[in-house]
Amino acid sequence: MIRSDNGTQFTSKAFANACEELDMEHERIPPRTPNMNAHIEAFHRILEDECLSRHEFQSDVEAY
């Protein structure tokens, strides 16, 4: 199972198809309730502050 907010990246058909292909259940939190997904929200904030905003990546591979 994967839990996410209702951001556009998680409501796309491509994401839904990937979940189906990987046999993953997708659970969405209610709108405007980031506290229900606090651990991942904190992780994304730390990732952005500590890595993504400090470096300029030339490709997806380099960022990975």
Side-chain angles (χ1 to χ4, degrees), residues 2 4-5 7-28:
I2 184 169
S4 74
D5 60 15
T8 55
Q9 67 273 33
F10 300 116
T11 58
S12 70
K13 289 183 182 181
F15 182 77
N17 291 341
C19 287
E20 189 175 315
E21 287 176 19
L22 297 170
D23 196 30
M24 255 186 344
E25 186 177 338
H26 181 213
E27 176 183 272
R28 290 183 179 90

Side-chain angles (χ1 to χ4, degrees), residues 36-50:
M36 292 186 71
N37 206 19
H39 289 99
I40 197 65
E41 294 291 335
F43 170 76
H44 286 159
R45 181 65 183 178
I46 292 167
L47 179 66
E48 184 175 344
D49 287 348
E50 298 295 322

